[in-house]
Amino acid sequence: MYQKLTLYIDGQFIEAQGRQTQEVINPANREVLGHLPHATNEDLDSALLSAERAFASWKKSSPTERSTILRKVAQLTRDRAPEIARNMTLDQGKPLAESLGELISCADHADWHAEECRRIYGRVITPRHPNVRQFVLREPIGVCVAFTPWNFPYNQAIRKVAAAIGAGCTLVLKGPEDSPSAVMAIAQMFHDAGLPPGVLNLVWGDPPKISDYLIRSPITRKVSFTGSVPVGKQLASLAGAHMKRVTMELGGHSPVLVFDDADIDRAAQMLAKFKIRNAGQVCVSPTRFYVQKKAYDRFLATFTDTLSNIKVGDGLTEGVEMGPLAHERRVPAMERFVEDARSRGSKIVLGGDPISGKGFFFPPTVITDLPDDAMLMTQEPFGPVAPIVSFDTVDEVIARANSLPFGLSSYVFTNSLQTATRVSNELEAGMVNINHFGSALPETPFGGIKDSGIGSEGGSETFDGYLVTKFVTHI
Ligand code: NAD
């Protein structure tokens, strides 16, 4: 049994009832799993009005009430994880163990927001005159609209929902039409946890049409988006034209810097496994591999050997380590990257061609001898394709790592404290991971700089995008 798919507006689960629907496909075998109802403009109006009505009371709710609901959702996430994870593997493709891992870590996100929302403080400013009182209040911004992607369906949505609801905002969320089950499960859990009607509304449809309609609405005060840089820029421009606050979690092109003095085998094995997580469809995926000259051959051999042993298949099959790509559009996208590399005389060391069969499978692929202006070195592949190139000096690799407009994550492997300090100071990235992978915990801020976005999710920064500052003074 796959997840039942509906709209969720004003506390009601609304079925298709004559609305346009969209097939949801299993990327491992192209089977139709279900039909997703698209929201009409009337549905969008009802969702916005319902969020506006709910805001009038939700903004006055106590942090304890918000916290209690978030905690219940955390517990429900743990209780329902096996079923939600199975459905996520069916419509998104990732191996079941990865789906389960996403669910369990997301329960932590809900718990952490439940704790942190009780600590949204203002401040008192010492006045110039003793009879004056000066306060800074932090108030919820209002009705938010959020757009979340298909790669981590549960994770990307719960971070926005928990931050908005914890701050006292209400929201209209458009989830990922390609992989909707986990976001549907989120709506069901908040409903079951007793969230008042209208605080969370869930809609589906044609992404550009829905985002355009929701962002332009005078009811909307804030826009949060996770997805590609071009779409993010488009939505941020529209939000700017209507003076709406934005949080943008956009794409990356994470550089990996492996220095001669690192533990090369450990780095190569860890990075190979990390690269194929979610079939490489991760905004913080390690993407450009710069390996220092002396370590290059050994790194390439171990990295390629580890990837050549990865079991690829249907994510529900025991032992599978990498599933299909999430939807049909990703396969030709991978082929374009490989084709560009071939046309530049690069060497395809592993993989390179789609795996034949019904599903959207592309194998782990390793490519060397690429110029820095190759497509793979400059555009986000968002798949299991790894370019590996060499470098000589620290100065050179920092300059090459910083040469793109992206600034999301970065990875460094070195046993020199001096090198670690220097690169963490100089890398232009929102996140720097040295000798391990430590990003994306609920208590740490997650976000990019440069073209990779605006604002952070997680960490004590998580509520900043959902609060406005009000100064009150009296005598
Ligand atoms: P895409 O750009 O069509 O869609 C990416 C995501 O944005 C999808 O969830 C889609 O529904 C949404 N989207 C697209 N246009 C939109 C609009 N006008 N308004 C609101 N939402 C919109 O491409 P795709 O083939 O689905 O994904 C490929 C690219 O998307 C990747 O190369 C990657 O750069 C990016 N992406 C990034 C993340 C991330 O976590 N940052 C997640 C998924 C996809």
Side-chain angles (χ1 to χ4, degrees):
M1 286 293 287
Y2 177 67
Q3 169 77 48
K4 185 172 167 189
L5 302 171
T6 68
L7 305 167
Y8 179 63
I9 297 174
D10 203 23
Q12 304 291 319
F13 292 91
I14 302 166
E15 295 186 30
Q17 295 160 346
R19 290 170 180 81
Q20 188 188 333
T21 59
Q22 173 177 345
E23 285 182 344
V24 178
I25 308 286
N26 181 340
N29 55 26
R30 295 180 192 239
E31 272 171 25
V32 177
L33 295 164
H35 293 86
L36 189 64
H38 279 198
T40 61
N41 284 353
E42 291 71 38
D43 292 326
L44 299 180
D45 285 336
S46 327
L48 285 162
L49 285 168
S50 144
E52 187 179 44
R53 272 195 309 276
F55 181 63
S57 50
W58 188 247
K59 70 178 176 189
K60 296 181 193 153
S61 62
S62 79
T64 319
E65 183 184 346
R66 298 173 205 163
S67 179
T68 303
I69 290 177
L70 286 166
R71 272 205 190 288
K72 279 189 192 155
V73 169
Q75 190 51 47
L76 288 173
T77 303
R78 294 187 182 99
D79 296 345
R80 298 179 189 178
E83 179 196 337
I84 302 171
R86 182 184 163 276
N87 287 333
M88 201 198 302
T89 292
L90 282 173
D91 67 19
Q92 201 278 343
K94 66 181 70 174
L96 188 58
E98 283 189 32
S99 294
L100 270 170
E102 181 172 340
L103 266 292
I104 298 309
S105 73
C106 285
D108 286 354
H109 278 276
D111 261 342
W112 188 83
H113 281 83
E115 291 161 13
E116 199 67 6
C117 77
R118 292 152 63 121
R119 301 189 189 103
I120 296 174
Y121 302 122
R123 70 185 195 277
V124 176
I125 299 175
T126 310
R128 293 184 178 204
H129 189 283
N131 291 345
V132 169
R133 289 286 178 270
Q134 303 183 132
F135 305 102
V136 178
L137 307 181
R138 299 181 82 207
E139 299 182 339
I141 190 166
V143 173
C144 306
V145 296
F147 309 95
T148 59
W150 43 262
N151 58 338
F152 289 94
Y154 200 96
N155 179 293
Q156 311 278 19
I158 194 74
R159 290 206 266 188
K160 296 188 194 304
V161 174
I165 288 177
C169 296
T170 59
L171 80 160
V172 180
L173 168 66
K174 188 200 77 62
E177 288 75 16
D178 292 305
S179 313
S181 63
V183 182
M184 196 70 239
I186 289 180
Q188 185 69 57
M189 283 189 282
F190 274 99
H191 183 83
D192 295 348
L195 189 73
V199 176
L200 169 65
N201 302 273
L202 174 61
V203 297
W204 313 99
D206 177 42
K209 279 195 195 147
I210 302 236
S211 56
D212 190 78
Y213 196 89
L214 293 178
I215 294 171
R216 283 177 196 277
S217 166
I219 293 175
T220 301
R221 295 290 359 128
K222 192 242 154 79
V223 178
S224 183
F225 172 72
T226 300
S228 66
V229 173
V231 175
K233 285 185 174 175
Q234 207 182 312
L235 301 193
S237 311
L238 184 60
H242 293 267
M243 203 49 74
K244 316 275 165 95
R245 176 94 64 89
V246 295
T247 298
M248 292 282 149
E249 293 291 350
L250 306 181
H253 203 290
S254 307
V256 181
L257 282 54
V258 181
F259 289 89
D260 286 339
D261 59 27
D263 180 340
I264 300 303
D265 286 343
R266 174 180 175 270
Q269 283 159 4
M270 281 174 69
L271 284 161
K273 299 262 180 179
F274 200 52
K275 178 68 209 172
I276 53 91
R277 187 173 69 117
N278 203 4
Q281 303 165 117
V282 185
C283 54
V284 294
S285 187
T287 304
R288 288 169 282 155
F289 293 76
Y290 299 102
V291 184
Q292 206 163 11
K293 280 251 165 73
K294 267 197 263 162
Y296 183 83
D297 288 343
R298 183 168 187 144
F299 180 90
L300 179 63
T302 311
F303 186 84
T304 308
D305 182 55
T306 309
L307 283 186
S308 65
N309 288 310
I310 295 296
K311 188 171 173 195
V312 181
D314 185 326
L316 287 183
T317 305
E318 183 80 31
V320 159
E321 293 166 282
M322 188 179 103
L325 299 177
H327 55 64
E328 193 162 18
R329 307 186 292 282
R330 300 309 307 151
V331 178
M334 292 305 101
E335 289 179 294
R336 284 193 290 277
F337 280 100
V338 176
E339 190 43 49
D340 175 77
R342 281 200 174 107
S343 74
R344 289 160 179 276
S346 304
K347 203 166 149 200
I348 317 295
V349 179
L350 183 73
D353 295 303
I355 300 171
S356 59
K358 274 190 168 176
F360 312 133
F361 289 99
F362 202 88
T365 294
V366 179
I367 304 183
T368 60
D369 303 287
L370 282 142
D372 278 357
D373 65 350
M375 210 175 135
L376 197 48
M377 295 296 285
T378 53
Q379 296 177 31
E380 190 178 26
F382 224 65
V385 183
I388 303 189
V389 296
S390 66
F391 72 91
D392 277 313
T393 65
V394 184
D395 287 335
E396 174 206 333
V397 78
I398 290 173
R400 288 167 79 186
N402 289 342
S403 65
L404 297 189
F406 301 97
L408 192 56
S409 196
S410 57
Y411 303 93
V412 181
F413 284 82
T414 179
N415 280 325
S416 155
L417 184 57
Q418 196 186 13
T419 305
T421 307
R422 167 130 193 247
V423 292
S424 59
N425 285 341
E426 295 190 28
L427 279 174
E428 294 169 0
M431 292 165 278
V432 181
N433 295 265
I434 300 177
N435 292 328
H436 88 141
F437 309 127
S439 301
L441 295 166
E443 61 272 27
T444 61
F446 184 99
I449 59 169
K450 297 164 78 177
D451 275 7
S452 292
I454 300 172
S456 292
E457 293 181 335
S460 53
E461 290 84 353
T462 201
F463 296 113
D464 291 350
Y466 296 89
L467 297 168
V468 287
T469 300
K470 183 187 275 178
F471 172 64
V472 177
T473 180
H474 66 75
I475 192 159

